[in-house]
Amino acid sequence: MRDFSADHRWLSLNTATVRKQGDLAQIIEACARHGIRAIDPWRDQVASVGLNRAVRAVRDAGLELSGYCRGGMFTSDAAHRSDVRDDNRRAVDEAKALSAPCIVLVVGGLPQYSRPGSAASKDIALARTQVEDAIAEMLEYARGANLPLAIEPLHPAYAADRACVNTTRHALDICDRLDSERRGALGVALDVYHIWWDPDLVVQIARAGRDRLLAFHVCDWLAPTKDILNDRGMMGDGVIDIRSVRAAVEAQGFSGYSEIEIFSDDWWGKPMDEVLRTCIERHRTVV
């Protein structure tokens, strides 16, 4: 396993971590100031400054991307289906312009939550079928741009409103069906917050292998958790054995960034520089 104690070369910042403290241009400037060499920006943050400005800011700061958040939210009623397709194609185009190595897919839950305005449904089996069909369609467009798609399994608490793919096994089953020849077009983004609890995790990481492991996200699970969405912990403040998960991922040959992604009302209330300094310190000592 790589030794992160000497520097933070392999730290990437998911820009949601400091989304309340500044816009994307300000976040990029702060990352450059702190020697953070990679980011994973969110589409709404890119849109707020404009795609062309975002591309220039990333280039001028000499940053790489570890991913692009996010595509997906595939589930909808029939009236919204074309909007879903077009939105995800725009995500591919944006990621390509930003030179992202992959698009992270949060696949969506029940249609009324994934695409507001859709007719309500309780049929999660149908939602899962729709997700797989939509990924297959998006995959054809993404292949044309040579842009891999990374399915992110989310904690089961999000099954209704955010993602009905909730285990690494399920995500890899989809990968195997849609990319059976393992050409690198489809894989997984593994976030310790969502997968740390899974007793099948290490087996599934080994099953994924290097070619399916496209992104690795870190934060911590606080106990008790006050808010399932916006109470993630800084690494080392919770119960996840982050280093053991990273060891399992790196044992398969993963050598990319450890991407810090923290949704936290607490950390959003702190100055950006303080958050980034803490991320760097914990990346060296905990991750």
XYZ file of all heavy atoms in Angstrom, residues 249-287:
322
model
N -8.319 -2.033 -2.096
C -8.412 -1.439 -3.424
C -7.041 -1.417 -4.099
O -6.901 -1.786 -5.277
C -9.012 -0.015 -3.315
C -8.864 0.736 -4.627
C -10.485 -0.086 -2.916
N -6.023 -1.005 -3.351
C -4.687 -0.925 -3.942
C -4.093 -2.306 -4.204
O -3.240 -2.453 -5.089
C -3.777 -0.082 -3.056
C -4.192 1.382 -3.037
C -3.165 2.296 -2.396
O -2.075 1.812 -2.011
O -3.454 3.494 -2.282
N -4.540 -3.311 -3.471
C -4.072 -4.676 -3.737
C -4.483 -5.143 -5.133
O -3.856 -6.046 -5.700
C -4.618 -5.637 -2.679
N -5.522 -4.523 -5.689
C -5.956 -4.854 -7.051
C -5.230 -4.028 -8.112
O -5.512 -4.164 -9.301
C -7.466 -4.646 -7.167
C -8.282 -5.515 -6.239
C -7.927 -6.985 -6.370
O -7.850 -7.512 -7.489
N -7.711 -7.649 -5.242
N -4.351 -3.137 -7.660
C -3.588 -2.342 -8.610
C -4.065 -0.915 -8.773
O -3.522 -0.166 -9.592
N -5.075 -0.516 -7.994
C -5.528 0.868 -8.079
C -4.419 1.799 -7.611
O -3.861 1.626 -6.530
C -6.782 1.083 -7.220
C -7.298 2.498 -7.243
C -8.104 2.928 -8.277
C -6.976 3.395 -6.232
C -8.582 4.234 -8.321
C -7.449 4.700 -6.250
C -8.255 5.119 -7.297
N -4.104 2.808 -8.415
C -3.027 3.737 -8.074
C -3.446 5.185 -8.295
O -2.605 6.057 -8.477
C -1.768 3.424 -8.897
O -2.046 3.504 -10.292
N -4.756 5.426 -8.255
C -5.265 6.766 -8.482
C -5.392 7.562 -7.197
O -4.834 7.214 -6.152
N -6.162 8.625 -7.282
C -6.329 9.536 -6.159
C -7.254 8.960 -5.091
O -8.211 8.251 -5.396
C -6.902 10.864 -6.647
C -5.931 11.681 -7.462
C -6.001 11.688 -8.857
C -4.943 12.428 -6.846
C -5.107 12.438 -9.612
C -4.042 13.183 -7.592
C -4.129 13.179 -8.972
O -3.240 13.922 -9.709
N -6.951 9.304 -3.833
C -7.903 9.126 -2.748
C -8.660 10.446 -2.632
O -8.093 11.462 -2.203
C -7.199 8.794 -1.428
O -6.708 7.475 -1.451
N -9.892 10.423 -3.063
C -10.688 11.642 -3.220
C -11.510 11.909 -1.965
O -12.330 11.081 -1.563
C -11.594 11.500 -4.439
C -12.498 12.685 -4.696
C -13.406 12.441 -5.882
O -12.932 11.891 -6.909
O -14.594 12.786 -5.784
N -11.282 13.062 -1.358
C -11.999 13.427 -0.137
C -13.320 14.092 -0.511
O -13.341 15.118 -1.196
C -11.145 14.367 0.731
C -9.870 13.641 1.176
C -11.938 14.860 1.932
C -8.862 14.535 1.879
N -14.410 13.473 -0.068
C -15.752 13.987 -0.350
C -16.546 14.010 0.950
O -16.952 12.962 1.454
C -16.468 13.132 -1.396
C -17.842 13.667 -1.767
C -18.570 12.775 -2.761
O -18.380 11.535 -2.709
O -19.326 13.319 -3.582
N -16.749 15.202 1.501
C -17.415 15.341 2.792
C -18.614 16.274 2.650
O -18.453 17.465 2.353
C -16.447 15.886 3.866
C -15.240 14.956 4.013
C -17.163 16.052 5.200
C -14.152 15.498 4.927
N -19.806 15.705 2.845
C -21.017 16.510 2.953
C -21.252 16.736 4.447
O -21.612 15.799 5.165
C -22.212 15.766 2.365
C -22.234 15.664 0.872
C -21.248 14.991 0.176
C -23.266 16.230 0.156
C -21.278 14.893 -1.206
C -23.308 16.136 -1.221
C -22.318 15.478 -1.908
N -21.060 17.954 4.919
C -21.125 18.186 6.354
C -21.485 19.624 6.664
O -20.732 20.548 6.306
C -19.779 17.848 7.010
O -19.723 18.325 8.332
N -22.616 19.818 7.334
C -22.980 21.159 7.780
C -21.907 21.726 8.705
O -21.648 22.935 8.698
C -24.335 21.125 8.491
C -25.488 20.854 7.532
O -25.438 21.349 6.389
O -26.434 20.140 7.924
N -21.285 20.863 9.490
C -20.227 21.293 10.395
C -19.029 21.824 9.613
O -18.582 22.964 9.823
C -19.821 20.122 11.291
C -18.716 20.498 12.270
O -18.614 21.683 12.638
O -17.953 19.604 12.671
N -18.509 21.027 8.682
C -17.320 21.445 7.937
C -17.629 22.553 6.945
O -16.747 23.377 6.635
C -16.666 20.241 7.267
C -15.977 19.378 8.276
C -16.442 18.229 8.849
C -14.702 19.636 8.884
N -15.545 17.754 9.769
C -14.470 18.591 9.815
C -13.742 20.633 8.736
C -13.303 18.529 10.589
C -12.585 20.570 9.501
C -12.382 19.529 10.416
N -18.848 22.636 6.445
C -19.221 23.754 5.580
C -19.228 25.083 6.337
O -19.132 26.144 5.737
C -20.593 23.508 4.961
C -20.577 22.515 3.841
C -19.571 22.266 2.954
C -21.646 21.632 3.481
N -19.928 21.286 2.062
C -21.202 20.878 2.357
C -22.932 21.407 3.974
C -22.010 19.924 1.736
C -23.735 20.464 3.365
C -23.281 19.714 2.253
N -19.330 25.000 7.656
C -19.330 26.219 8.461
C -17.946 26.724 8.826
O -17.831 27.768 9.479
N -16.905 26.016 8.416
C -15.529 26.414 8.750
C -14.873 27.099 7.546
O -15.264 26.859 6.409
C -14.714 25.184 9.161
C -15.266 24.448 10.382
C -14.411 23.244 10.733
C -15.047 22.389 11.815
N -15.205 23.105 13.094
N -13.879 27.932 7.763
C -13.179 28.572 6.641
C -12.565 27.542 5.694
O -12.100 26.481 6.122
C -12.088 29.404 7.333
C -12.591 29.619 8.725
C -13.357 28.379 9.075
N -12.560 27.868 4.416
C -12.062 26.929 3.412
C -10.627 26.501 3.699
O -10.300 25.313 3.597
C -12.154 27.535 2.015
C -11.850 26.535 0.906
S -11.800 27.238 -0.773
C -13.398 28.020 -0.899
N -9.763 27.445 4.047
C -8.368 27.092 4.290
C -8.225 26.123 5.457
O -7.384 25.214 5.417
C -7.541 28.349 4.551
C -7.289 29.153 3.289
O -7.172 28.542 2.208
O -7.224 30.389 3.378
N -9.034 26.278 6.493
C -8.988 25.354 7.623
C -9.403 23.955 7.191
O -8.775 22.953 7.584
C -9.890 25.846 8.750
C -9.935 24.911 9.946
C -10.908 25.363 11.029
O -11.323 26.535 10.999
O -11.256 24.519 11.887
N -10.456 23.864 6.381
C -10.909 22.557 5.903
C -9.826 21.885 5.065
O -9.518 20.700 5.249
C -12.208 22.702 5.083
C -12.631 21.337 4.519
C -13.336 23.285 5.936
N -9.206 22.639 4.169
C -8.187 22.053 3.299
C -6.954 21.636 4.094
O -6.380 20.571 3.836
C -7.804 23.032 2.192
C -8.926 23.399 1.204
C -8.370 24.247 0.074
C -9.630 22.170 0.662
N -6.561 22.438 5.069
C -5.424 22.038 5.906
C -5.723 20.751 6.661
O -4.864 19.868 6.770
C -5.080 23.160 6.896
C -4.305 24.320 6.293
C -3.723 25.214 7.380
N -4.760 25.809 8.204
C -5.315 27.010 7.963
N -4.927 27.722 6.913
N -6.238 27.494 8.775
N -6.956 20.624 7.160
C -7.334 19.408 7.889
C -7.381 18.207 6.948
O -6.938 17.111 7.303
C -8.688 19.593 8.588
O -8.656 20.772 9.395
C -9.019 18.392 9.461
N -7.913 18.402 5.744
C -7.929 17.317 4.750
C -6.518 16.812 4.476
O -6.284 15.589 4.418
C -8.572 17.806 3.452
S -10.366 17.996 3.494
N -5.594 17.726 4.296
C -4.207 17.345 4.012
C -3.613 16.571 5.185
O -2.978 15.516 4.997
C -3.370 18.598 3.688
C -3.800 19.183 2.338
C -1.874 18.270 3.681
C -3.253 20.568 2.061
N -3.823 17.069 6.390
C -3.264 16.403 7.571
C -3.856 15.013 7.749
O -3.118 14.038 8.017
C -3.514 17.271 8.805
C -2.812 16.799 10.066
C -3.644 15.812 10.872
O -4.899 15.870 10.780
O -3.059 14.974 11.580
N -5.154 14.870 7.592
C -5.785 13.556 7.771
C -5.448 12.614 6.626
O -5.371 11.397 6.830
C -7.299 13.721 7.904
C -7.732 14.566 9.092
C -7.360 13.964 10.444
N -7.779 14.818 11.525
C -8.984 14.794 12.082
N -9.882 13.920 11.675
N -9.287 15.626 13.081
N -5.252 13.147 5.441
C -4.824 12.299 4.325
C -3.475 11.660 4.637
O -3.234 10.490 4.320
C -4.731 13.147 3.055
C -4.277 12.399 1.838
N -2.962 12.359 1.435
C -4.964 11.666 0.926
C -2.855 11.632 0.342
N -4.050 11.205 0.006
N -2.602 12.389 5.287
C -1.274 11.870 5.631
C -1.314 10.895 6.808
O -0.517 9.965 6.851
C -0.336 13.027 5.966
C 0.067 13.876 4.792
C 0.907 15.061 5.236
N 1.474 15.770 4.094
C 2.119 16.920 4.188
N 2.301 17.484 5.379
N 2.599 17.526 3.116
N -2.224 11.112 7.745
C -2.181 10.349 8.996
C -3.253 9.272 9.125
O -3.103 8.344 9.908
C -2.294 11.289 10.202
O -3.528 12.017 10.112
C -1.138 12.271 10.238
N -4.351 9.404 8.388
C -5.494 8.487 8.543
C -5.756 7.677 7.296
O -5.967 6.465 7.352
C -6.769 9.264 8.953
C -7.969 8.313 9.041
C -6.563 9.991 10.264
N -5.757 8.342 6.142
C -6.121 7.672 4.890
C -5.028 6.678 4.497
O -5.304 5.583 4.061
C -6.364 8.695 3.765
C -6.605 7.993 2.436
C -7.550 9.586 4.118
